[in-house]
Amino acid sequence: MRILIIEDEKKIAGFIKRGLKEEGYAVDSAYDGEEGYRLIAENDYDLIILDIMLPTCDGITLCRRLREEGTTIPVLMLTAKDSVQDKVTGLDSGADDYLTKPFAFEELLARIRALLRKSVKQTTKLQAGDLVLDLITHRVTRAGEEIALTTREYALLEYLMRNAGTVVTRTMISEHVWDIDFDTDTNVIDVYINYLRNKIDSRFQKKLINTVRGRGYLLKD
Ligand code: CA
């Protein structure tokens, strides 16, 4: 899942970015409204965290513009303390939810999960055969046996499982699992697919992760 943070306060943006990366999200940041708008046009985000008070184009105007253009990406708006009017205007501009600063990071995570659940699939668990991924605890099991994954491996597996039964290309994977610093010339995706295969498939007769030659990868039961 790839998230864009649009927040001009670098300290807050950095804090959110670090925390989300630790949870396995791919995260980009923009420090003003126009830069955010440009990144949304160029990349395929699953969610946007949008501050209201921003240089060049404020969050309300940006959100309204995105909705007018038909963008349906979930928007979580960050509002200043105690400003009811901000919240109302934010939701009216097309935001899906809001969070008042300062906030507990756990609450931000819970709201992100809720928004992604709504937009992607009403579920807290993904399953393919005997492979189960719990989106809340981040626990992964196969045939009841726990599998320890790094945050990046988890993010990649989550993406494959959300798209189970369909072929995902390397470009799709890089856009949803890696951030803007991803170097498209490397074979890092194949390397991570191999890590996952070792952990998920190697000890089992039935292989869930398949290579589709010339196209990408396919996770299926
Ligand atoms: Ca701000």
Side-chain angles (χ1 to χ4, degrees):
M1 296 284 110
R2 187 167 174 186
I3 296 176
L4 174 66
I5 304 165
I6 311 175
E7 162 67 274
D8 59 319
E9 285 162 79
K10 295 207 168 160
K11 234 172 134 177
I12 298 178
F15 158 76
I16 297 174
K17 186 171 184 172
R18 269 193 308 281
L20 292 180
K21 283 180 116 168
E22 280 169 15
E23 292 292 316
Y25 294 106
V27 188
D28 295 332
S29 32
Y31 301 108
D32 67 71
E34 287 301 335
E35 187 192 7
Y37 182 72
R38 186 178 56 78
L39 286 176
I40 294 163
E42 285 170 2
N43 302 294
D44 200 355
Y45 293 107
D46 300 294
L47 186 132
I48 300 165
I49 298 172
L50 179 60
D51 187 34
I52 289 186
M53 298 287 283
L54 289 170
T56 68
C57 173
D58 67 86
I60 302 282
T61 308
L62 178 57
C63 191
R64 213 170 268 143
R65 202 201 300 181
L66 291 171
R67 295 305 184 229
E68 276 166 15
E69 290 173 0
T71 306
T72 56
I73 309 168
V75 172
L76 174 60
M77 211 164 250
L78 301 180
T79 69
K81 205 175 169 184
D82 291 336
S83 170
V84 175
Q85 196 49 49
D86 268 6
K87 292 168 193 166
V88 172
T89 320
L91 292 172
D92 282 347
S93 74
D96 299 276
D97 197 3
Y98 63 83
L99 195 55
T100 308
K101 290 197 270 189
F103 50 82
F105 194 72
E106 282 305 313
E107 185 175 3
L108 175 70
L109 286 179
R111 284 175 190 266
I112 289 173
R113 282 195 300 265
L115 286 176
L116 290 174
R117 265 206 302 283
K118 263 189 235 164
S119 74
V120 186
K121 233 183 190 182
Q122 282 285 3
T123 183
T124 57
K125 275 184 185 163
L126 301 174
Q127 187 154 7
D130 55 2
L131 179 66
V132 180
L133 180 147
D134 187 315
L135 291 164
I136 293 172
T137 61
H138 284 201
R139 210 165 153 256
V140 174
T141 57
R142 181 150 187 198
E145 206 180 298
E146 183 143 8
I147 298 169
L149 298 178
T150 65
T151 48
R152 184 72 77 186
E153 289 163 357
Y154 173 88
L156 177 56
L157 182 65
E158 181 192 340
Y159 186 70
L160 291 173
M161 289 183 81
R162 281 192 190 275
N163 294 284
T166 44
V167 178
V168 291
T169 64
R170 286 178 185 76
T171 306
M172 287 162 74
I173 292 173
S174 72
E175 280 177 348
H176 288 273
V177 182
W178 270 269
D179 59 33
I180 205 161
D181 299 323
F182 180 75
D183 179 358
T184 48
D185 294 333
T186 66
N187 65 341
V188 66
I189 290 173
D190 307 85
V191 170
Y192 272 90
I193 289 282
N194 279 332
Y195 290 159
L196 275 185
R197 280 194 163 127
N198 282 333
K199 291 185 176 181
I200 281 155
D201 276 342
S202 63
R203 287 173 296 115
F204 296 88
Q205 204 174 0
K206 184 163 195 181
K207 308 301 179 198
L208 299 173
I209 301 171
N210 305 280
T211 304
V212 183
R213 200 165 286 281
R215 292 182 62 204
Y217 296 103
L218 168 67
L219 186 140
K220 72 171 169 59
D221 176 30

